[in-house]
């Protein structure tokens, strides 16, 4: 395959560049992802480089997934160990394998920003604060302190370095003695707080995201043998969005690339917009100084925007000179469009904010009616709060939209519903929560019935819960309402009892099923219900993370934690659904729009102090003497805002609209944004007719007169992912409707004791056999990175195996203490018997938990093989099953798929496949036959082709009684 086919000259040079450092300056819309993915494919296919020799790093999970998917699509074969990930995922992977070498555990927990806040809040007294002693509510102070610690890690400053700096702090003579005393006290207090914070993290076996980079750098610097291993492995390193790296990340890259120097960095200094996250623009500006022999390739052929849009953007961004690569390297970054037609560029001015909002919607609707789709439009805002101005207008006009915010999970209607119900279980008399529950659609209470209850509660000065208990005494309650009230009371009583002994996750899932709430939100395919399922999945993941991080998994403890989050102003992380699907207009911040493109972009509220925004200095800045990055000269904040504006402009393909108003509700009229003046657009302002009321009313009436759109009844056809697994195929074969629940909607299901036990046993055997494998390879190292004497495998004791079992034990989803104890004892007996059977005749292991990506026709098939052993004539596949040997014949498709992967990817001969049943400590094996491999390949393709047709008709039958979704399935038998 010619990976340079249809590329322009500069793109081809970038793909074919093989040896030495390379800087690719890739302007907006110039196909940088295409270049990176083609370059990886070129190395793997044309240059025969093993996949595990290539490392590609980027910043977001979405970008990493897109890059990985595009590489997979280009490759004509499957592969193992393709290292395409975010910086943080890479650091986590390295530390999970090697943290013991610097005295850290490998089973650490990764804390979110909210969890970090809780950890500090609960241990605030340990910080011995005086200068920074918070007065009253410590919420904002803790947030500022954590931001300070994060920035220190961005700069790769350890607690020891900070303490040493504080100890030897020298202040200039311009300060008074009192000022010097206070400053020394302040810095020493901060350094000590940083030290205490890191100790708290270690005591709680926890890392934050900054730790993933800083500890990896520490590992590589302190243990050169580990660094040498990865330097040898990664012959080629590619970094996307290089302008967004911080000092520590760049330090990590330089350490890894030191041996081979085959480092390719791709970026655009004009799109460096993450200074607030610690990104250091100096990295891309200084790259040529660090690598003077680096080749430069500049991509300027733009495949996105019209030429006049590009010209306007370039005319604007040059105001950031001389702190741009164009000036530094004496290169031309002026983009050349491949689009033949000129784009629309307009600056629309209005008298009031209402008129601006209505005018934007009117303009979008006019363009939409010219055979466009809602997906073609984006409203870009500088701050999330500005979205609130547009959403009511869009809803009123039934225009389907999505607000793609990164925060706000706890403010979503479904999550408020579920939190309200859980709050009732902790406190029956929380009338606000009860009012929310009464309004659930599933209960079908009318507004009149609810008003009767509210009036009675107010008159009697009792809670809504007490009122419901007395509903028979209340006149005006309908018979249907009385029946629903009984249902609500019985649900609350049931789940109150359940909450005594079950975790919050178990209680929530039981409520969702028995109440009918889950069935209601999964029986339609509209955008409204699709978003509800998305929010449910993310809320349940939040609950799972809570349960993993605490011993007290109760509803009460969870609600207390949520209350603390709300006190801290935390609204919950939200992962927007960027996948193609429903035809909706998008509202998002300019930061969120990075990497996206739209036919028509509206940049709104372009007035002074909104865009550019007012600079927010760091509440607790790092002393300049500690900062390691090179800080550019000039107005750093204004240049960052200018780059952000440039990013917004270059999202547009066919039309770019700037809007502003004079009146945003303040006393004075707003001044127009200086960026519009710099872009030369302010000169084109046309004064709109005077008369605020008439003008606003005219536009609003026009908007209200728009033809009704599909709105919440918008039908959406779910498109399956183009990645498949055996579990997916088997689910679809059993029942396509079950597949829809599990793999399209991804409905959370209650865990089972058998699943927890199965995961425990798998993890135990993996860790046990990993020790054996390491010993065989003579790779076991102590904490100082020195080789241990090779022990004979036979000396590995049963006590070691049982100790591993205790470490791997998963303590969830057992329905009683007795049930858990029974499983625990059974696991020990299984392992004792397992050890006795295999002692002194351990298998010759080649691979453990080997993940693979198999190419079957044009489809990607993923899986992981428990164990691969060396046997006469080839290898044996071993798959663990926790239970007993089944009475009926076991289907062999799964292991035959593994056999195909071994033949095609590992280039080894699978001669035998084995199911090992742990409860019986017996195995069932079969010989791999070539004709069966061909049959299985056909079966896989048949199943995939049926799935991608999107027909998920139910197939009810005997299997319904074992289905996780039977309680919400109207087709079940």
């Amino acid at each position: 395959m010619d990976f340079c086919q249809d590329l322009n000259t500069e793109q081809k040079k970038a793909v074919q560049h093989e040896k030495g450092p390379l800087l690719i300056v890739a302007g907006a819309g110039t196909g940088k992802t295409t270049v990176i993915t083609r370059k990886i494919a070129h190395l793997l296919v044309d240059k025969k480089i093993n996949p595990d020799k290539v490392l590609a790093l980027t910043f977001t999970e979405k970008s990493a997934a897109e890059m990985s998917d595009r590489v997979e699509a280009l490759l004509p074969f499957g592969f193992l160990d393709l290292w395409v990930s975010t910086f943080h995922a890479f650091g986590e992977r390295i530390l999970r394998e090697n943290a013991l070498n610097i005295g850290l555990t490998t089973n650490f927990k990764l804390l979110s920003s909210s969890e970090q806040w809780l950890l500090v809040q609960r241990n605030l007294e340990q910080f011995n604060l005086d200068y920074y002693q918070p007065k009253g509510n410590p919420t904002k102070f803790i947030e500022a302190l954590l931001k300070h610690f994060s920035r220190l890690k961005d700069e790769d400053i350890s607690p020891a370095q900070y303490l040493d700096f504080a100890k030897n702090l020298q202040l200039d003579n311009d300060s008074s003695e009192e000022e010097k005393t206070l400053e020394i006290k302040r810095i020493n207090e901060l350094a000590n707080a940083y030290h205490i914070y890191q100790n708290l993290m270690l005591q709680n076996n926890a890392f934050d995201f900054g730790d993933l980079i800083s500890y990896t750098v520490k590992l590589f610097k302190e243990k050169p043998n580990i660094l040498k291993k990865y330097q040898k492995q990664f012959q080629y390193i590619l970094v996307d969005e290089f302008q967004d790296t911080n000092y520590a990340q760049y330090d990590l890259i330089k350490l890894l690339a030191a041996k081979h120097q085959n480092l390719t960095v791709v970026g655009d200094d004009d799109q460096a917009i993450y200074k607030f996250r610690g990104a250091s623009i100096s990295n891309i500006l200084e790259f040529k100084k660090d690598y003077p022999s680096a080749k430069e390739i500049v991509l300027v052929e733009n495949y996105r925007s019209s030429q006049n849009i590009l010209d306007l953007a370039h005319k604007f961004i040059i105001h950031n000179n001389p702190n741009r690569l164009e000036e530094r390297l004496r290169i031309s970054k002026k983009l050349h469009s491949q689009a033949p037609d000129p784009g629309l560029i307009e600056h629309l001015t209005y008298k009031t904010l209402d008129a601006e909002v209505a005018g934007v919607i009117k303009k979008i609707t006019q363009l939409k009616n010219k055979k466009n789709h809602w997906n073609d439009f984006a409203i870009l805002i500088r701050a999330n709060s500005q979205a609130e101005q547009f959403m009511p207008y869009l809803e009123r006009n039934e225009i389907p939209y999505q607000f793609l915010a990164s925060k706000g999970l706890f403010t979503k209607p479904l999550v408020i519903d579920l939190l309200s119900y859980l709050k009732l279980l902790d406190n029956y008399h929380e009338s606000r929560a009860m009012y929310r529950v009464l309004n659930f659609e599933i209960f079908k209470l009318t507004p009149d019935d609810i008003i009767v209850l509210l009036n009675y509660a107010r008159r009697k000065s009792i809670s809504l819960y007490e009122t419901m208990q007395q509903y028979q005494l209340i006149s005006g309650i309908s018979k249907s309402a009385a029946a629903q009230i009984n249902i609500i009371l019985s649900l609350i009583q049931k789940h109150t009892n359940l909450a005594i002994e079950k975790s919050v996750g178990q209680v929530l899932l039981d409520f969702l099923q028995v109440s009918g709430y889950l069935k209601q939100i999964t029986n339609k395919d509209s955008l409204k219900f699709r978003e509800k399922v998305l929010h449910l999945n993310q809320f349940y993941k939040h609950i799972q993370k809570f349960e993993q991080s605490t011993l007290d998994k109760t509803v009460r403890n969870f609600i207390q934690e949520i209350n603390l989050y709300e006190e801290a102003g935390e609204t919950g992380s939200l992962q927007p659904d960027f996948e193609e699907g429903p035809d909706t207009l998008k509202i998002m911040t300019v930061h969120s729009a990075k990497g996206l493109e739209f036919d028509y972009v509206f940049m709104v509220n372009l007035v002074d102090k909104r865009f550019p925004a007012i600079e927010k200095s760091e509440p607790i800045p790092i002393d300049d003497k500690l900062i390691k990055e090179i800080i550019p000269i000039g107005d750093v904040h204004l240049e960052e805002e200018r780059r952000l504006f440039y990013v917004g402009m270059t999202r547009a393909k066919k039309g770019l609209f700037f809007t502003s108003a004079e009146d945003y509700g303040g006393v004075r009229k707003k001044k127009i944004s200086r960026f519009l003046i710099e872009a030369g657009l302010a000169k084109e302002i046309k004064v709109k007719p005077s008369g605020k009321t008439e003008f606003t009313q005219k536009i609003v009436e026009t908007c209200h007169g728009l033809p009704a759109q599909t709105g919440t009844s918008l039908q959406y056809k779910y498109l399956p992912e183009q990645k498949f697994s055996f579990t997916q195929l088997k689910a679809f074969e059993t029942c396509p409707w079950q597949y829809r629940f599990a793999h399209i909607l991804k409905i959370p299901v209650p865990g089972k004791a058998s699943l927890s036990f199965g995961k425990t046993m798998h993890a135990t055997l993996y860790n046990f056999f990993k020790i054996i494998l390491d010993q065989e390879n003579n790779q076991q190292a102590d904490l100082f990175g020195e080789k241990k004497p090779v022990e004979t495998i036979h000396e590995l004791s049963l006590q070691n195996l049982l100790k591993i079992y205790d470490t791997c034990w998963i303590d969830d989803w057992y329905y009683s203490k007795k049930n858990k104890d029974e499983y625990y004892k059974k696991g020990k007996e299984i392992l004792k018997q397992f050890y006795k059977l295999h002692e002194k005749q351990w298998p010759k292991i080649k691979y453990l938990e080997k993940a693979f990506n198999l190419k079957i026709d044009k489809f990607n098939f993923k899986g992981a093989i428990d164990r691969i052993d060396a046997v006469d004539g080839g290898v044996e596949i071993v798959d663990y099953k926790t239970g007993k040997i089944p009475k009926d014949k076991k289907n062999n498709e799964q292991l035959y798929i593994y056999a195909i992967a071994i033949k095609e990817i590992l280039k080894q001969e699978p001669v035998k496949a084995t199911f090992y049943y742990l409860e019986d400590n017996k195995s069932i094996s079969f010989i791999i036959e070539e004709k069966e491999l061909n049959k299985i390949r056909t079966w896989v393709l048949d199943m995939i082709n049926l799935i991608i047709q999107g027909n998920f008709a139910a197939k009810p039958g005997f299997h319904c009684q074992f289905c996780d979704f039977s309680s919400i399935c109207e087709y079940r038998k």
Side-chain angles (χ1 to χ4, degrees), residues 11 35 109 119 158-159 201 242 295 326 343 392 433 444 454 470 483 513 515 542 594 620 687 707 838 856 940 946 964:
Q11 288 177 326
V35 168
K109 296 172 290 190
L119 181 67
S158 68
M201 295 288 282
F242 181 62
K295 183 175 180 179
E326 196 165 31
K444 299 175 183 176
L454 288 170
Q470 301 174 26
Q513 291 195 358
S515 68
H542 182 87
K594 179 80 162 31
I620 307 176
V687 179
H838 300 287
I856 298 183
V940 168
L946 286 171
D964 287 326

Side-chain angles (χ1 to χ4, degrees), residues 339-376:
D341 300 322
L344 294 171
I345 300 176
E346 294 183 34
H347 173 211
L348 308 173
T349 61
Y350 303 91
K351 286 290 183 182
T352 68
L353 172 59
D354 281 346
E356 180 185 1
V357 172
V360 166
I361 294 171
K362 178 184 178 183
K363 187 71 175 180
I364 289 174
T365 306
Q366 289 172 344
L367 292 166
K368 164 69 171 61
N369 290 337
K370 295 179 181 178
K371 296 185 179 179
N372 293 302
H373 301 281
W374 293 119
N375 266 339
D376 297 331

Side-chain angles (χ1 to χ4, degrees), residues 36 158 165 464 473 579 601 612:
I36 295 171
S158 68
F165 172 79
L464 264 177
L473 305 176
E579 298 301 320
V601 167

Side-chain angles (χ1 to χ4, degrees), residues 453-564:
L453 292 170
L454 288 170
N455 287 338
Y456 187 87
R458 191 179 301 112
R459 191 165 65 249
K460 296 292 185 180
S461 298
I462 58 177
S463 70
L464 264 177
Y465 178 78
E466 292 170 302
T467 301
M468 292 168 66
Q469 289 181 310
Q470 301 174 26
Y471 77 90
Q472 293 174 321
L473 305 176
I474 305 173
S475 61
I477 293 290
S478 66
K479 286 185 179 179
S480 60
Q484 293 300 318
I485 289 170
N486 273 325
I487 289 172
I488 295 169
L489 290 173
S490 63
L491 282 171
I492 291 171
Q493 187 59 55
K494 176 188 177 181
H495 292 116
T496 300
N497 294 335
L498 201 63
I500 295 171
E501 56 183 37
K502 299 295 183 184
S503 72
V504 59
Q506 291 170 293
V507 172
L508 180 70
L509 289 181
D510 192 81
F511 164 74
L512 286 168
Q513 291 195 358
V514 300
S515 68
Y517 196 107
L518 187 58
K519 184 174 181 178
Q520 182 201 40
I521 66 171
T522 57
N523 65 0
K524 296 186 179 116
D525 278 337
S526 70
L527 171 62
K528 172 184 174 182
F529 288 98
R530 181 174 182 266
E531 287 189 330
K532 283 179 180 286
V533 173
L534 178 73
H535 298 150
L536 171 61
N537 284 329
Q538 295 187 30
F539 182 55
Y540 188 67
K541 285 178 183 175
H542 182 87
I543 289 175
Q544 286 179 310
K545 196 159 187 183
F546 160 80
E547 292 182 343
Q548 290 163 6
S549 63
T550 180
L551 293 175
D552 184 358
K553 309 177 196 299
T554 60
V555 169
R556 168 166 289 185
N557 195 34
F558 179 72
I559 291 301
Q560 288 175 347
E561 184 167 296
I562 290 292
N563 290 338
L564 284 171

Side-chain angles (χ1 to χ4, degrees), residues 580-599:
E580 285 298 320
D583 184 21
T584 58
L585 177 150
K586 305 296 189 292
I587 308 176
M588 66 183 79
T589 64
V590 186
H591 280 104
S592 298
K594 179 80 162 31
L596 303 177
E597 59 183 40
F598 303 91
D599 281 359

